[in-house]
Amino acid sequence: MSETGKYYLPLYEGTAWYYSRFRPKYPPSLVKILRENFRLDGTGRLLDLGCGPGPVAIALAQLFEEVVAMDPDDAMRAEGERIARERDIGNIQWRFGGSNDLSPNLGQFRLVTMGNSFHWMDRARTLEALYDLVRDGGGIAVVGEGAPIPPPPMIPWRAAINTVLKSYLGHRPLPWESPGPPPPAERHETYISRSRFRDLASYQESFDVEWTIDSMIGNLYSTSFCSRRVLGDRVDAFERDIRAAILAVEPSGILKGEPPEFFAYMAWKR
């Protein structure tokens, strides 16, 4: 999740329950792409760095002997442990820590994944530290999902949500209002190409997500900028205003038309 120096900055405090239930799920291609590109066969070890509640670690656990899921947020790890237990997945170790805690004591890994977490890290330093933890022939994969680039025109229900958010949070830019992709020097693939990892490969795929008003509210509560902690005693009023704003433009309460984009950037230790 998020880090500042050696200390965890609790941007996501109180969001774990919502994060595991209301973030878009990775498409099946997550498993397929990583299995095929890294020739995963049930052997070796996986490090999922910044694992959150474990969407990547849990999805890939079947492809490894052992998984180390690492995150500095206790609640996120606890939620991941709960999900793994419910699914009878027993080969995941849940460890406290982040990118500043990488050391040879973790052992060697066939693959390291970072899902929706790499942007919180010192990316150059993290890649350098990971290189010595990855065994020869293994690699890294930065995966995630976000808005398509370029973003589609704003849908009426999203514009209605934005109006409510700005009335509660101020006129700060929202993630989906980004004017475009980051400049080349700040892209994940630029950092990877400058590292000692080789043969950078990428994959992108858009997939459909259908929201209800309740699941959209849950998704908003899973974010760092609109968590229940941030809203405080305004939660009830916020939910009332969000419902009214959405229903005014989308009476069905079914929200479609914003397909997120799954991406994977992969590289190898040669």
Side-chain angles (χ1 to χ4, degrees):
M1 303 279 65
S2 52
E3 302 169 52
T4 297
K6 187 69 176 176
Y7 301 96
Y8 169 56
L9 181 65
L11 292 172
Y12 286 89
E13 182 180 346
T15 67
W17 191 90
Y18 297 97
Y19 200 107
S20 68
R21 289 164 175 81
F22 299 112
R23 286 293 179 104
K25 307 302 181 188
Y26 285 105
S29 51
L30 166 70
V31 174
K32 180 177 183 292
I33 292 300
L34 297 186
R35 183 182 64 235
E36 292 179 355
N37 278 274
F38 293 99
R39 300 180 181 178
L40 305 177
D41 57 4
T43 64
R45 304 172 74 224
L46 167 70
L47 171 61
D48 186 27
L49 182 61
C51 64
V56 176
I58 290 170
L60 299 179
Q62 61 182 313
L63 301 177
F64 295 89
E65 293 176 27
E66 180 182 84
V67 176
V68 175
M70 195 170 176
D71 199 281
D73 188 308
D74 293 340
M76 288 286 187
R77 295 195 319 278
E79 186 67 11
E81 285 189 82
R82 180 193 65 79
I83 296 168
R85 188 165 54 248
E86 288 181 352
R87 300 183 187 180
D88 198 27
I89 298 172
N91 66 332
I92 304 178
Q93 296 181 28
W94 300 89
R95 292 198 187 184
F96 172 86
S99 59
N100 290 317
D101 302 298
L102 297 171
S103 80
N105 293 333
L106 290 168
Q108 291 279 295
F109 297 93
R110 184 170 185 174
L111 178 66
V112 177
T113 52
M114 291 162 280
N116 286 325
S117 60
F118 192 43
H119 63 289
W120 293 113
M121 305 174 191
D122 180 331
R123 289 176 285 182
R125 180 181 177 279
T126 298
L127 290 168
E128 182 62 24
L130 288 175
Y131 190 82
D132 292 331
L133 300 183
V134 173
R135 76 185 200 190
D136 291 343
I140 59 164
V142 175
V143 303
E145 82 285 322
I149 298 173
M154 188 167 290
I155 295 167
W157 59 259
R158 177 61 73 186
I161 290 172
N162 279 13
T163 299
V164 176
L165 287 175
K166 289 183 183 298
S167 72
Y168 280 83
L169 306 176
H171 289 274
R172 56 180 291 179
L174 298 168
W176 45 84
E177 292 182 319
S178 171
E186 290 301 314
R187 295 176 186 171
H188 290 339
E189 57 267 44
T190 300
Y191 281 90
I192 296 170
S193 66
R194 290 174 180 164
S195 75
R196 288 193 283 167
F197 291 99
R198 293 289 175 261
D199 302 330
L200 174 66
S202 63
Y203 175 85
Q204 288 88 30
E205 172 195 348
S206 291
F207 60 102
D208 293 327
V209 174
E210 180 179 287
W211 302 96
T212 64
I213 295 177
D214 286 339
S215 66
M216 177 54 68
I217 290 173
N219 179 263
L220 291 170
Y221 287 163
S222 79
T223 66
S224 60
F225 64 87
C226 189
S227 66
R228 292 176 67 97
R229 179 178 63 86
V230 169
L231 291 167
D233 60 8
R234 300 176 296 165
V235 164
D236 290 342
F238 175 76
E239 290 193 16
R240 182 189 63 239
D241 291 346
I242 282 286
R243 291 181 190 280
I246 291 175
L247 289 172
V249 297
E250 185 49 72
S252 72
I254 303 300
L255 312 179
K256 303 178 182 179
E258 277 191 352
E261 182 183 66
F262 166 64
F263 63 83
Y265 298 113
M266 299 164 284
W268 286 259
K269 180 174 181 176
R270 304 297 193 192

